[in-house]
């Protein structure tokens, strides 16, 4: 016993792993080093708190937040394995008590634990070295995965701290035999035990390594460091550790002994008594592997890790060669930890993006071990010699040139001159790249190979570090709720907070506040061909947002009997559940919104089955070889431009009582989408030629008199065109139809359906009608143009998506226009150009390429041609309208604030009146822009008829303007007077608001309305 006590008092050190004795290290560094780690933790906290409540609550976040709120309110909390362990709910309830309940407070546990994890590498300075520990803290502070999920209301932000605390405690005990380290490890495991079932995988990883280390020490008869550490724990300390883990589990799973059945659900529920009907955490996890939520391919994490955490991945690989020799125990543990977690989570059938933290954390710890050996080799305070810095600079320039060479390609459908120019660019870049390589060889001639490689590595790490930081900013701040990021998974759309705010506005203006009756779709299940088909509810995340609304009520499939009394000011219904109640919505006006949306997951097409060799290697190599495909891949990597849009999503409708539409200004229901029989007579539009205000009339009509099926004619319209006979042609992406309306708004005909055959569509956007009545449709995601006669009979088509086919290759064409000479102009949006054909589809030429100079485009969407042959293009992401002459030479451009967003909804269209006035939609600002004589103005649209999402636009010969409101499922007709003309006795034009209050301002458009 005396010998054991002596071992406890005397620290045991791994001689082969240390540079200086641990106590000497602590004495020399502990005074000030902790300030560095504290500063990094403070920086991490600030980054995680920034705009924490700005993103809509995810489905899972709303569940966690609401049940924590129930506990905070004093309601009984019953542990359910579906929502993981009870730790999160108890911590969140405590924070509600301290700071109140809000989206910020609901995410605060992850912020606090994620920030605290940044400080923990301070206690691993012996294993990582001081510089390595600092590097680990930096990677944890600003790494894309760690930053994003430390701002996200899921358990992984806390598990990051808990698992790292267990590792710190384990190796602190092995190194120093201080009981505090051992108990810290127990606390980490105890918190993890009450947080999520992954504790069993993590515990198995730790236990397997300790057992293997003990076995190897005995076999090799080496210093029994780990063996002594295990023996020195002793029964007393072991009992305390077990007590910590089980004590935390018993207290939290039973909610402080108020729910004793929580013991049944903690691990495995025994078939005894009331436990027989319950399910334990391990049982639930095992069953979920059969469900395989997400249905992700085996390479899912191999894709996410380099995309987001490229710096830890590269450093971890470097550590295999640079870590101290002979390798330390901690090094081999880090390798084991990284490989085993990657194997476990790759093998598990349920793969979710937040689980990538478990793979990224050991890579950070392993990669940090490459930093200390590198910094030890630096001979100067600034690192490299002047010659090495020259090599690093040339390598940095070479990387830039290589990226440019790898992504340059001739513009599809370009003229021979343009093709030759692109080829010359490739040759020039190749020559420059070769010259840089020669320069590197010459300058590094007096350097050792290791010095040259070190200089090159610096340039590579600078590039990767810049990309890594850029990815972190994009994921957490720019695209935090936009699923162009692969780690943004089935995210609630920004529409949700807007809907919540509008409901609150209406309730406040009615004076009812939280007592306002609110009707919500509770979903239902129906039997179709003997199969139970569930219809989803709108419960989540609205159950969290409307938690204080005392009079909210859910209905199932059919509306409650008292709905016709007008008791309910607002109704929220899933888009898929609208049909059973559509005819009962008399007296209500609705708007369409996105409930949630998700990344298109096109990478799933790269597998033919399970296994490494079942990947579609021809597609992968083809992407790398083909310059155009490489360009698209690079744009996704750098800017998150989707390679294969669109995003997936679910829709909902918000219906507002007609007497509340437009109450207090534009809001929910501002643009009418009325149910059959519920539309009031629209106000009349003034006589053409007279000056009148911008009055709107909706041309939406019921299909009752057309097919006898009821329902609206339009659901999600996009493009609009006026035929020579005055009929209005509208494309609808939701129904894959072209619908034709007469001048009075009645439905004349419609044709099309979802598909890829002749006459079928896959999200048709643009439409144009020729002088002979021929109809041309931009069949966007079939990547083609289809031509029909005026009755909707298919005539011909052209266009294909294949990269090798020119000049008929399209990538998501969004619009089509007919010139005075009969030319068909197509906005080939994804390929950043305009293509020109005759009316039989024969190619004439293409113009434009990607860029920001005149004649170049970034996301060209709307295109139209004036009577004089001038061509007008909505150059969306360059925030401008470009004007070209008949030979496609740039003439002018007009800046348009509000077009810069890269959301799927921001697709503006453009029209030109007979007098040359330009009209354009600004979707996300709900504006219509007018440019006349170089003056930019916005139409001052009436609040009760302002479009919610203006997309397509067209002018009529009588001067009226047609605006497609995609969100409301309507086409609005505005009578618009010319700028400066009088209207009534005061001489003001209420249809127009000049951007500077009256004076001409050709420089731009006022951002507000």
């Amino acid at each position: 016993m005396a010998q054991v006590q002596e071992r406890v008092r005397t620290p045991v050190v791994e001689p082969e792993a240390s540079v200086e004795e641990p106590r000497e290290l602590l004495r020399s560094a502990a005074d000030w080093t902790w300030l560095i780690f504290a500063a990094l933790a403070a920086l991490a906290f600030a980054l995680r708190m920034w705009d924490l409540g700005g993103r809509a609550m995810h489905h899972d976040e709303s569940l966690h937040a609401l049940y924590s709120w129930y506990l905070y309110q004093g309601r009984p909390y019953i542990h359910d394995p579906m929502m993981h362990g009870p730790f999160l709910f108890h911590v969140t309830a405590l924070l509600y008590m301290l700071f109140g309940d809000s989206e910020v407070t609901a995410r605060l546990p992850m912020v606090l634990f994620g920030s605290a994890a940044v400080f923990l590498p301070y206690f691993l300075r012996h294993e990582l070295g001081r510089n390595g520990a600092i590097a680990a803290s930096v990677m944890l502070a600003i790494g894309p995965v760690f930053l994003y999920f430390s701002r996200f209301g899921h358990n992984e932000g806390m598990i990051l701290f808990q698992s790292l605390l267990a590792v710190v405690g384990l190796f602190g005990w092995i190194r120093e035999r201080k009981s505090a380290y051992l108990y810290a490890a127990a606390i980490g495991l105890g918190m993890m035990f009450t947080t999520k079932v992954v504790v069993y995988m993590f515990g198995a990883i730790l236990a397997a390594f300790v057992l293997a280390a003990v076995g190897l020490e005995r076999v090799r008869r080496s210093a029994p460091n780990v063996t002594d550490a295990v023996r020195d724990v002793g029964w007393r300390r072991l009992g305390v550790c077990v007590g910590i883990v089980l004590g935390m589990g018993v207290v939290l799973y039973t909610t402080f002994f108020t729910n004793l059945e929580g013991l049944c659900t903690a691990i495995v529920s025994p078939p005894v008594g009331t436990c027989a009907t319950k399910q334990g955490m391990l049982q639930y996890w095992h069953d979920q592997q059969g469900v395989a939520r997400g249905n992700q391919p085996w390479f899912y994490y191999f894709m996410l890790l380099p995309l987001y955490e490229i710096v830890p991945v590269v450093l971890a690989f470097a550590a295999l060669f640079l870590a101290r020799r002979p390798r330390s125990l901690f090094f081999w543990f880090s390798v084991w930890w990284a490989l085993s977690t990657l194997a476990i989570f790759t093998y598990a059938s349920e793969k979710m993006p937040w689980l990538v933290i478990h793979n990224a954390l050991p890579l950070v710890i392993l990669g940090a071990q490459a930093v200390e050996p590198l910094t030890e080799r630096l001979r100067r305070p600034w690192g490299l010699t002047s010659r090495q810095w020259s090599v690093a600079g040339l390598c940095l320039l070479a990387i830039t040139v290589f990226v440019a060479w790898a992504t340059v390609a001739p513009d599809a459908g370009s003229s021979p001159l343009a093709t030759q120019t692109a080829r010359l660019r490739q040759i020039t870049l190749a020559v420059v790249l070769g010259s840089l390589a020669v320069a590197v060889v010459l300058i590094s001639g007096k350097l050792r190979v290791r010095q040259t490689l070190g200089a090159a590595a610096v340039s590579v790490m600078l590039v990767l570090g810049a990309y890594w930081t850029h990815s972190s900013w994009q994921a957490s701040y720019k695209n935090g709720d936009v699923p162009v990021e692969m780690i943004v998974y089935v995210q609630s759309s920004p529409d949700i907070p807007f809907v919540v705010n509008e409901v609150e506005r209406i309730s406040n203006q009615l004076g009812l506040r939280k007592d306002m009756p609110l009707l919500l779709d509770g979903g239902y299940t129906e039997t179709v061909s003997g199969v139970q088909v569930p219809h989803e509810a709108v419960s989540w995340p609205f159950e969290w947002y409307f938690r204080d609304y005392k009079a909210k009520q859910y209905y199932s499939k059919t509306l409650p009997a008292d709905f016709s009394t007008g008791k309910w000011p607002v109704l929220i219904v899933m888009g898929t559940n609208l049909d059973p109640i559509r005819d009962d919505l008399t007296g209500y006006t609705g708007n369409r919104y996105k409930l949630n949306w998700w990344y298109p997951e096109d990478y799933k097409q790269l597998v033919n089955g399970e296994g490494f060799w079942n990947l579609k290697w021809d597609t992968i190599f083809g992407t790398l070889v083909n310059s155009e495909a490489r360009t698209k891949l690079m744009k996704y990597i750098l800017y998150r431009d989707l390679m294969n849009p669109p995003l997936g999503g679910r829709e909902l409708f918000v219906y507002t009582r007609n007497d509340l539409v437009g109450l207090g200004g534009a809001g929910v229901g501002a643009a009418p989408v009325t149910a059959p029989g519920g539309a009031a007579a629209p106000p009349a539009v003034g006589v053409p030629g007279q000056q009148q205000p911008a009055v709107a009339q909706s041309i939406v009509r019921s299909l009752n008199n057309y097919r006898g099926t009821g329902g609206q004619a339009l659901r999600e319209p996009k493009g609009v065109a006026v035929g020579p006979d005055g009929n209005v042609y509208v494309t609808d992406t939701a129904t894959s139809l072209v619908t034709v309306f007469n001048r009075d708004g009645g439905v004349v005909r419609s044709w099309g359906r979802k598909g890829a055959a002749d006459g079928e569509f896959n999200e048709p956007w643009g439409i144009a009608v020729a002088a002979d009545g021929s109809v041309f449709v931009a069949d966007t995601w079939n990547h083609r143009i289809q031509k029909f006669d005026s009755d909707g009979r298919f005539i011909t088509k052209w266009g294909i998506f294949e990269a090798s086919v020119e000049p008929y290759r399209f990538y998501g064409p969004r619009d089509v226009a007919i010139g005075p000479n009969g030319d068909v102009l197509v906005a080939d949006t994804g390929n950043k150009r305009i293509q020109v054909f005759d009316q039989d589809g024969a190619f004439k030429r293409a113009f434009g390429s990607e860029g920001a100079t005149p004649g170049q485009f970034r996301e060209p969407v709307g295109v139209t041609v004036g009577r004089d042959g001038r061509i007008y293009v909505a150059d969306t992401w360059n925030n401008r309208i470009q004007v070209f002459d008949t030979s496609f030479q740039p003439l002018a451009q007009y800046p348009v604030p509000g077009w810069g967003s890269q959301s799927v909804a921001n697709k503006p269209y453009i029209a030109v009146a007979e007098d040359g006035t330009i009209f354009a939609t600004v979707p996300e600002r709900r504006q219509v822009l007018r440019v006349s004589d170089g003056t930019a103005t916005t139409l001052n649209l009436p609040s009760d008829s302002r479009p919610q999402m203006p997309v397509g636009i067209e002018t009529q010969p009588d001067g009226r303007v047609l605006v497609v409101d995609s969100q409301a499922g309507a086409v609005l007709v505005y009578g618009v007077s010319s700028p400066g003309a009088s209207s009534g006795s005061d001489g003001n034009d209420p249809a127009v608001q000049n951007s500077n209050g009256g004076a001409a301002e050709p420089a731009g458009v006022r951002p507000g309305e």
Side-chain angles (χ1 to χ4, degrees):
M1 178 62 71
Q3 293 177 348
V4 171
Q5 292 175 348
E6 180 64 25
R7 282 196 295 267
V8 172
R9 289 193 298 268
T10 303
V12 179
V13 183
E14 302 173 73
E16 71 276 13
S18 62
V19 177
E20 48 182 325
E21 292 294 322
R23 291 193 185 279
E24 294 177 0
L25 175 69
L26 295 178
R27 280 197 298 270
S28 63
D31 289 343
W32 298 106
T33 303
W34 69 271
L35 290 175
I36 299 175
F37 292 88
L40 288 172
L43 172 64
F45 179 76
L47 291 174
R48 284 151 177 76
M49 286 298 296
W50 181 265
D51 196 29
L52 185 60
R55 188 178 67 244
M57 292 288 277
H58 184 276
H59 174 280
D60 290 7
E61 287 184 299
S62 64
L63 276 167
H64 299 158
L66 184 69
Y67 281 88
S68 300
W69 183 74
Y70 288 159
L71 180 59
Y72 160 62
Q73 291 287 310
R75 304 186 193 183
Y77 169 77
I78 307 298
H79 171 249
D80 187 343
M82 181 194 72
M83 290 187 284
H84 309 295
F87 186 80
L88 172 61
F89 300 97
H90 289 78
V91 172
T92 308
L94 174 63
L95 293 175
Y96 286 163
M97 182 180 69
L98 295 175
F99 305 113
D101 53 302
S102 67
E103 287 75 53
V104 171
T105 319
R107 292 168 175 149
L108 192 56
M110 280 55 67
V111 170
L112 295 175
F113 280 94
S115 302
V118 174
F119 189 82
L120 287 180
Y122 171 79
F123 300 101
L124 293 175
R125 301 187 319 283
H126 175 270
E127 288 77 14
L128 303 177
R130 183 174 63 179
N131 293 329
I134 292 173
S137 288
V138 170
M139 288 186 277
L140 293 176
I142 63 177
V145 165
F146 304 109
L147 179 58
Y148 181 81
F149 288 113
S150 292
R151 294 164 44 84
F152 183 75
H154 219 280
N155 297 277
E156 266 60 33
M158 298 188 302
I159 290 177
L160 170 64
F161 173 84
Q162 296 162 359
S163 56
L164 191 53
L165 178 64
V167 171
V168 166
L170 172 63
F171 281 88
W173 168 255
I174 293 175
R175 182 178 65 246
E176 298 186 44
R177 302 295 199 274
K178 287 186 177 179
S179 298
Y181 280 113
L182 194 63
Y183 299 150
I187 291 172
L189 290 173
M191 289 190 294
M192 205 172 180
F193 172 57
T194 57
T195 299
K196 202 170 183 180
V197 75
V198 292
V199 66
Y200 300 107
M201 298 97 159
F202 181 72
I205 290 171
L206 294 183
F209 183 80
V210 170
L211 292 175
V214 170
L216 285 174
E217 287 177 353
R218 291 185 177 181
V219 170
R220 298 172 59 184
R221 298 183 179 180
S222 56
N225 196 21
V226 180
T227 303
D228 286 349
V230 173
R231 185 185 299 115
D232 290 347
V233 171
W235 290 107
R236 183 179 63 83
R237 292 191 186 89
L238 180 61
V240 173
C241 291
V242 172
I244 289 173
V245 175
L246 294 183
M248 293 178 68
V250 169
V251 170
L252 294 182
Y253 277 104
T254 63
T255 313
F256 293 88
F257 306 102
T258 61
N259 170 39
L260 294 181
E261 290 184 349
L263 297 175
C264 303
T265 58
I267 307 176
V268 176
S269 186
V272 177
T274 56
C275 290
T277 61
K278 299 186 179 299
Q279 194 175 37
M281 291 272 284
L282 271 177
Q283 292 168 310
Y284 178 80
W285 177 82
H286 179 270
D287 291 346
Q288 285 302 300
Q289 300 312 301
V291 176
R293 288 190 308 160
N295 192 30
Q296 300 295 347
W298 64 267
F299 58 83
Y300 186 57
Y301 298 118
F302 291 91
M303 179 177 58
L304 291 185
L305 285 169
L307 182 62
Y308 290 100
E309 294 295 343
I310 186 64
V311 169
V313 168
V314 171
L315 286 177
F317 181 76
L320 300 177
F321 305 95
L322 298 176
R324 294 168 181 158
R325 297 176 182 272
R327 303 294 199 270
S328 68
L329 177 71
F330 189 78
F331 168 80
W332 291 116
F333 167 75
S334 302
V335 173
W336 163 250
W337 187 14
L339 293 178
S340 57
T341 52
L342 189 58
I344 290 172
F345 287 98
T346 296
Y347 177 77
S349 60
E350 181 173 316
K351 299 178 179 68
M352 291 294 170
W354 43 81
L355 296 177
V356 74
I357 274 189
H358 301 279
N359 294 312
L361 177 58
L363 290 177
V364 166
I365 300 303
L366 177 59
Q369 295 173 65
V371 174
E372 192 70 20
L374 286 172
T375 56
E376 287 174 357
R377 295 172 183 174
L378 299 179
R379 297 185 176 182
R380 303 187 180 195
W382 53 88
L384 306 180
T385 66
S386 58
R387 187 174 290 270
Q388 283 180 300
W389 277 119
S390 299
V391 171
L394 289 173
C395 289
L396 188 62
L397 183 59
I399 293 172
T400 305
V401 174
F402 175 78
V403 171
W405 172 86
T407 56
V408 69
D411 297 324
S414 299
S415 65
L417 178 60
T419 301
Q420 184 181 25
T421 301
R423 295 300 184 193
L424 288 174
R425 287 179 60 196
Q426 287 182 318
I427 295 172
T428 302
L429 290 170
V431 170
V432 173
L433 187 61
S435 301
L436 290 171
V438 171
V440 169
V441 172
L442 293 176
I443 294 177
S444 61
K446 295 183 179 181
L447 296 174
R448 294 192 300 271
V449 173
R450 178 175 293 182
Q451 289 178 307
T452 303
L453 292 177
V458 167
S459 62
V460 172
M461 289 307 298
L462 286 174
V463 172
L464 294 182
Y467 165 73
W468 177 65
T469 306
H470 175 69
S471 297
S472 189
W473 166 76
Q474 286 196 128
S476 289
Y477 304 116
K478 180 185 178 184
N479 302 322
D481 55 4
V482 183
V484 294
E485 302 284 352
M486 291 186 184
I487 58 174
V488 178
Y489 190 78
V490 193
Q491 171 64 40
S492 300
S493 82
D495 286 351
I496 300 304
F498 175 79
V499 169
V500 172
N501 290 335
E502 288 299 297
V503 169
E504 184 175 4
R505 179 184 61 80
I506 292 174
S507 67
N508 289 340
Q509 292 184 337
L510 288 175
L512 298 174
R513 302 189 185 277
K514 304 302 182 183
D515 293 322
M516 184 186 79
L518 181 61
L519 191 59
L520 302 170
D521 177 9
Y524 60 94
T525 300
E526 64 179 349
T527 302
V528 179
S529 301
V531 178
Q532 295 292 311
V533 179
H535 288 250
E536 295 178 284
V538 298
S539 310
W540 306 102
F542 286 117
E543 190 66 11
W544 157 258
Y545 283 111
F546 296 136
R547 61 192 180 279
D548 290 320
Y549 279 74
K550 304 177 181 61
K552 71 174 181 289
Q553 178 178 321
Y554 285 89
Y555 73 93
S556 180
K557 191 172 183 177
T558 57
L559 296 172
D562 59 354
F563 182 79
S564 59
T565 65
K567 168 186 175 182
W568 309 96
V570 178
L571 160 69
I572 303 178
V573 55
M574 285 291 293
T576 53
N577 300 347
L578 188 59
D579 284 344
I581 66 169
R582 191 187 299 270
D583 294 335
D584 298 324
L585 295 176
T586 301
Y588 282 78
T589 298
N591 285 281
R592 178 186 291 108
Y593 299 94
K594 283 284 187 187
L595 174 62
N596 49 32
W597 47 357
W598 51 84
Y599 184 82
E601 297 187 339
D602 43 4
Y603 53 81
K604 291 181 178 180
Q605 302 172 9
L606 296 176
V607 290
N608 290 316
E610 295 294 329
F612 179 79
W613 295 111
N614 286 322
L615 285 174
K616 295 181 180 178
W617 290 105
D618 55 340
T619 302
I620 296 173
F621 289 128
T623 300
L624 299 177
V625 171
N626 182 272
S627 58
E628 183 189 1
R630 285 199 310 267
T631 300
K632 292 177 180 178
L633 177 62
M634 186 61 66
K635 287 180 180 178
Y636 178 76
I637 292 173
L638 293 178
Y639 309 114
R640 298 301 190 252
D641 288 352
L642 292 176
M643 297 182 67
N644 296 296
L647 299 170
R650 298 185 182 93
E651 294 179 337
L652 59 84
F653 286 81
V654 178
Y655 277 84
T656 308
R657 218 168 52 209
N658 280 350
D659 62 305
L660 302 176
V661 172
L663 181 64
V668 174
V673 183
T674 53
V685 176
V687 179
Q690 294 182 350
Q691 305 303 328
Q692 68 273 339
V695 183
Q697 69 172 4
S698 169
I699 63 172
V700 173
R701 286 295 182 270
S702 168
L703 289 176
N704 284 330
N705 298 325
Y706 179 51
R707 288 180 177 170
T709 58
Q712 291 179 182
L714 301 175
R715 284 182 53 195
E716 197 169 330
K718 290 297 191 298
V720 60
V722 178
D725 55 359
N727 285 342
V728 178
Y729 296 72
V730 183
T731 57
D732 194 311
T733 56
T735 61
S736 296
L737 290 175
V738 172
T739 301
V740 185
F741 299 89
N742 60 28
R743 298 182 183 183
D744 297 324
V747 175
V748 177
R749 71 182 67 87
S750 67
W751 70 84
R753 63 179 179 180
K754 180 77 170 181
D758 295 346
E760 297 178 339
F761 304 108
N762 186 5
E763 289 200 20
W765 281 69
I767 189 169
V769 184
D772 64 354
S774 299
V775 181
F776 298 82
V777 179
D779 188 5
T780 302
W781 297 119
N782 279 327
H783 309 284
R784 65 185 181 183
I785 301 297
Q786 293 197 69
K787 179 181 179 180
F788 304 85
D789 66 14
S790 58
D791 292 324
R793 288 186 289 267
F794 174 81
I795 298 176
T796 188
K797 64 183 178 183
W798 64 90
I800 193 169
F801 184 58
E802 294 297 329
S804 60
V805 178
E806 288 292 0
Y808 293 95
R809 182 173 61 89
F810 289 128
Y811 183 18
R814 297 278 185 170
D815 200 11
V816 59
I818 309 296
N821 60 356
D823 284 350
V824 179
L825 286 79
V826 180
D828 189 4
T829 306
N831 289 322
K832 319 302 182 190
R833 62 183 178 178
I834 304 297
Q835 292 206 61
V836 185
F837 305 85
D838 68 16
Q839 295 197 11
D840 294 322
F843 174 77
K844 287 191 170 184
R845 66 156 297 175
F847 68 95
S849 61
E850 183 169 13
T853 61
Q856 293 184 313
F857 307 107
R858 291 190 67 233
E859 197 73 3
V861 177
V863 60
T864 192
V865 186
R867 293 183 62 184
D868 56 1
R870 290 187 176 187
I871 302 163
Y872 303 79
V873 180
D875 188 6
T876 310
W877 293 347
N878 281 325
N879 293 277
R880 65 187 179 185
I881 297 169
Q882 289 203 67
V883 186
F884 303 87
D885 63 16
T886 55
S887 59
F888 311 107
Q889 295 301 309
L891 292 177
Q893 55 181 312
Y894 304 99
V896 184
W899 278 2
S901 169
Q902 298 188 14
S903 74
V904 295
N906 187 33
K907 301 300 177 211
Y909 281 73
I910 194 166
V912 177
E914 295 194 7
D915 63 358
T917 302
I918 306 170
F919 294 91
T921 55
V922 188
E924 293 187 339
R925 292 189 174 179
R926 301 169 56 202
Q927 293 176 337
V928 177
L929 169 73
R930 174 167 61 189
V931 180
S932 180
D933 296 328
T935 302
T937 61
T938 54
L939 296 187
N940 186 14
L941 305 176
S943 61
D944 61 349
S945 61
R946 182 178 291 114
Q948 293 291 298
M949 186 61 70
V951 183
I953 192 167
E954 184 60 286
T955 61
Q956 292 181 310
D958 58 16
R960 289 185 287 183
V961 178
L962 287 72
V963 179
V964 174
D965 188 347
S966 179
Q967 188 166 287
V971 176
L972 305 176
V973 184
Y974 295 98
V976 180
S977 59
S978 60
S982 63
S983 177
S985 59
D986 58 3
N988 295 322
D989 175 14
V992 178
Q993 178 180 14
N994 193 278
S995 60
N996 64 356
E1001 186 182 358
V1005 182
R1006 194 177 80 173
E1009 288 182 333

